[in-house]
Amino acid sequence: MSNAGLVTIRELLARCSPEEQAVLFRELRAVHQIHEFEAVIGAPAEMILEAVHRAPELTRRMLRGVIADAAFRTFVVPEVALHGWRDVTPEGNFAYDYKLSDDAGPVTVQVKLQRSARGAPVVRPGGRFGFASAVFMTETQKTRTGTDGDENKTRPYRYGEFDILAVSMQPSTGKWDRYMYTLGRWLLLGKQGGEMATLQPVTMEPGEFWTDDFRTAAQWFRADDGGKRMKIVPKVPAKAQRPKEA
């Protein structure tokens, strides 16, 4: 069809009422697939979305994490490709979601979602983690629970399983293309040796430990940082109250 024909169709559509446009849309949807996953699962996109809409909160929260992962592929991977990075992620299940490589070598990335509660981002006092202002939070643990042969829990991540943590900031920004990055080796220590803590602070602005630029995080990873790491600041015990004078 020529461009002139498309222009005519658009003009006709603009004259249609919302009800008429809806009828035409349903007729087009009957012969056009939105995504190949419709054929995989055997249901139209509208039914899949309705199922998600009616799903329990836990299921929807897990789906948002999946979207954060997909958004990284959609927005970040093509952007860094302009600067010489290649997606070399192998097939299979790993402790990282992506492996990106440039001429200096590969870097692995784990993608997580900013933590939220009742539809709002979780905010905590930053002083507990050595930060001057309030911080957001993210949850860093694997989806499945289990133990290894030595009865060690396998759900917490261990240092060395990924190089960079990318946190989707969609809950606070409303945009799926916004991420904050830090190094896996900088994350808070968990309860067991070698384990990362489940909850990690995310600063609201780029700084010493967090950046909003993937390439900056990659530079941090390749630099000697002297072994620095985020730490919990011990609480200062309240001074004992003096007994009241008689």
Side-chain angles (χ1 to χ4, degrees):
M1 180 180 291
S2 66
N3 289 334
L6 289 173
V7 169
T8 300
I9 291 174
R10 292 188 183 106
E11 291 175 347
L12 290 172
L13 285 173
R15 298 174 190 171
C16 292
S17 67
E19 292 77 14
E20 292 170 332
Q21 291 180 4
V23 170
L24 290 171
F25 177 76
R26 287 195 294 271
E27 292 177 353
L28 288 171
R29 277 290 291 125
V31 294
H32 288 279
Q33 179 178 280
I34 291 178
H35 194 278
E36 62 185 44
F37 188 65
E38 292 178 276
V40 172
I41 203 169
E46 292 84 352
M47 184 183 297
I48 297 170
L49 288 172
E50 181 63 19
V52 172
H53 179 66
R54 292 176 175 272
E57 177 59 29
L58 177 60
T59 301
R60 294 168 70 173
R61 189 163 65 242
M62 293 176 61
L63 177 62
R64 290 174 65 83
V66 173
I67 294 174
D69 184 315
F72 187 90
R73 181 185 298 274
T74 299
F75 297 111
V76 179
V77 172
E79 194 278 329
V80 298
L82 299 176
H83 302 279
W85 288 87
R86 304 175 302 279
D87 185 358
V88 295
T89 309
E91 294 291 334
N93 295 318
F94 302 91
Y96 57 84
D97 294 314
Y98 293 92
K99 178 182 281 190
L100 304 180
S101 183
D102 64 358
D103 293 340
V107 174
T108 57
V109 184
Q110 173 59 232
V111 180
K112 292 297 181 183
L113 182 66
Q114 177 187 357
R115 190 174 177 83
S116 58
R118 297 183 180 88
V122 172
V123 178
R124 294 287 183 265
R128 184 186 180 197
F129 310 102
F131 297 113
S133 57
V135 295
F136 295 123
M137 301 298 294
T138 190
E139 186 173 331
T140 50
Q141 63 179 351
K142 299 170 187 175
T143 304
R144 294 184 178 181
T145 300
T147 59
D148 60 18
D150 297 321
E151 296 302 315
N152 295 313
K153 292 183 179 179
T154 57
R155 193 173 186 188
Y157 286 103
R158 302 185 69 83
Y159 292 101
E161 290 189 313
F162 59 84
D163 302 326
I164 292 175
L165 176 65
V167 179
S168 169
M169 306 305 291
Q170 193 277 337
S172 59
T173 65
K175 299 178 180 180
W176 285 108
D177 61 347
R178 304 296 174 85
Y179 291 83
M180 291 289 282
Y181 304 89
T182 193
L183 303 189
R185 65 176 182 252
W186 290 353
L187 294 172
L188 294 174
L189 184 65
K191 295 180 179 179
Q192 302 295 328
E195 289 182 0
M196 299 175 184
T198 298
L199 296 178
Q200 301 284 343
V202 184
T203 56
M204 296 183 177
E205 299 292 338
E208 179 185 3
F209 284 99
W210 289 90
T211 176
D212 57 4
D213 179 68
F214 170 80
R215 290 182 295 154
T216 298
Q219 292 174 356
W220 285 349
F221 173 70
R222 291 165 174 166
D224 182 3
D225 55 28
K228 73 176 186 179
R229 177 184 290 171
M230 288 183 272
K231 297 179 180 179
I232 296 288
V233 177
K235 293 183 178 180
V236 178
K239 294 182 180 180
Q241 295 182 355
R242 295 182 179 178
K244 295 181 179 180
E245 296 181 0

